[in-house]
Amino acid sequence: MKKITFMNFKGGVGKTTSVCTMAELLGLAGYHVLIIDLDPQSNTSRMFGIKEDIEELNYRNLFCEKMYSKKSMQEFVVKTDYANIHMLPSSEDMCDVIYKIYDGTKEKVKDKNDRIELTFSKNLKLVEDDYDYIFIDTSPFKTYLSYCAILASDKVVTPISLDNFSYEGVLKLADLIVELNTSFKKNTEFMGVFFTKIKSKTSNLFTGMSGSYQEQLDNLFIPIAIRDLIAVAEANTAFQPLFTYNRKCPALNDYIELLNYMDMIDNKHYKILKNLLVSKKGGDK
Ligand SMILES: Nc1ncnc2c1ncn2[C@@H]1O[C@H](COP(=O)(O)OP(=O)(O)OP(=O)(O)O)[C@@H](O)[C@H]1O
Ligand SMILES: [Mg+2]
């Protein structure tokens, strides 16, 4: 498990926050992470200091043309100032690319393996060995980019928030993944959902609701919740990843537990991260 898409066709549920925080933590623990920002809003790119004036990149090639050299794929990747984190930044061009992928789906292809929705997945393979994890942040809109993201991933995970959770929405996403797997002979796995922005883990509202979701969703329910904390919102407003903004924020601990639950860190790295939260170095806000 290495390439993970964060997806929910509802907005503001914590996709970007989760991608940025989990990537930052993995980078600090020593894992090499590539973040792919597929949301034209570019919030994730900005969080890691990528300015909009980055060199003009031809995003059409990334999604619509099979590349043959690692170098051409590396042109899309930018080193960030954050430990072990590389970024494939988003751009407004991505909105146009959606239509180009759509046009491409209408072209008659002899071989099913050549279908345009698989191009991004094939191109990503050229660089994937350079990373321990690849996180894909997506927009709340279901477009051809969503299909490309699912098809390029090993797993999809869905942050949800209590205020706008929809059981049907989760089942629809699970169905979409099955449909794409069948149609493209892939085996992307739906890992399930986890709660973000939880006011209190012990409130009757949360324990009651999470109990019933656990019952309904069974193994698609990840029993780790991320607390709603002002520092997280502030870090996002300041466009700084959470640990950099405030290493004492307890939501970092929630995200470490999530990484651990999802089997993304071993025991040694789990301890390294836990120790980072209590060490004295670094500024606090
Ligand atoms: N744990 C948290 N505590 C407090 N605020 C949070 C938390 N997680 C996210 N937020 C805030 O909620 C808002 C939405 O978060 P975020 O941008 O991560 O969601 P998203 O799913 O990526 O949204 P979009 O669908 O627009 O891409 C932001 O203002 C963010 O600061
Ligand atoms: Mg987002």
Side-chain angles (χ1 to χ4, degrees), residues 15-16 39 41 43-44 137-138:
K15 296 181 286 294
T16 297
D39 186 349
Q41 291 180 99
N43 288 341
T44 310
D137 189 18
T138 56

Side-chain angles (χ1 to χ4, degrees), residues 34-239:
L34 173 65
I35 303 174
I36 302 179
D37 186 1
L38 292 194
D39 186 349
Q41 291 180 99
S42 302
N43 288 341
T44 310
S45 307
R46 264 181 269 162
M47 287 287 270
F48 287 89
I50 312 289
K51 307 273 180 329
E52 270 154 33
D53 56 359
I54 49 162
E55 211 184 312
E56 279 293 298
L57 295 168
N58 188 343
Y59 282 87
R60 190 193 165 277
N61 287 357
L62 185 60
F63 293 94
C64 308
E65 298 284 337
K66 169 101 177 71
M67 295 178 201
Y68 291 95
S69 76
K70 183 171 178 176
K71 197 164 161 278
S72 37
M73 187 58 197
Q74 279 170 328
E75 280 173 19
F76 289 91
V77 176
V78 181
K79 277 188 190 158
T80 73
D81 292 338
Y82 294 81
N84 302 317
I85 297 189
H86 287 182
M87 166 85 73
L88 197 160
S90 130
S91 121
E92 282 190 9
D93 285 3
M94 279 186 183
C95 297
D96 301 336
V97 168
I98 293 165
Y99 296 106
K100 286 170 186 149
I101 301 171
Y102 172 70
D103 288 341
T105 60
K106 291 187 294 192
E107 280 168 24
K108 288 224 159 54
V109 272
K110 286 186 217 104
D111 183 351
K112 277 200 163 182
N113 293 324
D114 274 347
R115 285 168 68 179
I116 195 163
E117 296 94 324
L118 293 170
T119 311
F120 175 62
S121 167
K122 288 176 190 164
N123 288 338
L124 190 56
K125 282 200 165 60
L126 293 168
V127 292
E128 70 181 29
D129 287 347
D130 295 348
Y131 301 100
D132 298 303
Y133 287 106
I134 297 177
F135 283 172
I136 306 181
D137 189 18
T138 56
S139 93
F141 305 108
K142 186 160 117 186
T143 68
Y144 280 92
L145 282 182
S146 329
Y147 300 170
C148 296
I150 293 173
L151 291 168
S153 304
D154 301 313
K155 308 221 178 196
V156 174
V157 68
T158 299
I160 52 174
S161 63
L162 268 185
D163 47 354
N164 68 359
F165 173 70
S166 141
Y167 181 61
E168 285 71 31
V170 174
L171 294 187
K172 272 190 192 155
L173 176 56
D175 285 347
L176 174 66
I177 295 169
V178 171
E179 228 172 82
L180 289 172
N181 279 340
T182 312
S183 175
F184 291 89
K185 297 197 179 79
K186 284 272 177 178
N187 51 3
T188 304
E189 186 191 323
F190 185 38
M191 295 180 91
V193 305
F194 64 92
F195 275 112
T196 64
K197 304 203 268 185
I198 294 304
K199 296 258 186 286
S200 156
K201 290 190 191 186
T202 51
S203 75
N204 288 343
L205 174 68
F206 178 63
T207 48
M209 287 183 96
S210 67
S212 79
Y213 293 142
Q214 187 147 23
E215 224 165 74
Q216 287 173 313
L217 294 167
D218 196 19
N219 59 353
L220 290 182
F221 185 83
I222 299 170
I224 305 285
I226 313 299
R227 277 167 278 192
D228 184 322
L229 293 160
I230 188 74
V232 182
E234 285 173 358
N236 281 320
T237 313
F239 285 110

Side-chain angles (χ1 to χ4, degrees), residues 21 24-25 28 227 229-232 234-235 241-254 256 273-285:
T21 311
E24 185 188 29
L25 288 169
L28 287 164
R227 277 167 278 192
L229 293 160
I230 188 74
V232 182
E234 285 173 358
L242 186 55
F243 183 88
T244 302
Y245 184 76
N246 181 348
R247 68 165 57 197
K248 288 193 175 150
C249 176
L252 288 165
N253 203 47
D254 299 339
I256 293 172
L273 285 175
K274 286 284 202 180
N275 284 335
L276 276 180
L277 298 194
V278 293
S279 73
K280 290 197 183 74
K281 271 192 292 169
D284 297 319
K285 291 190 189 93

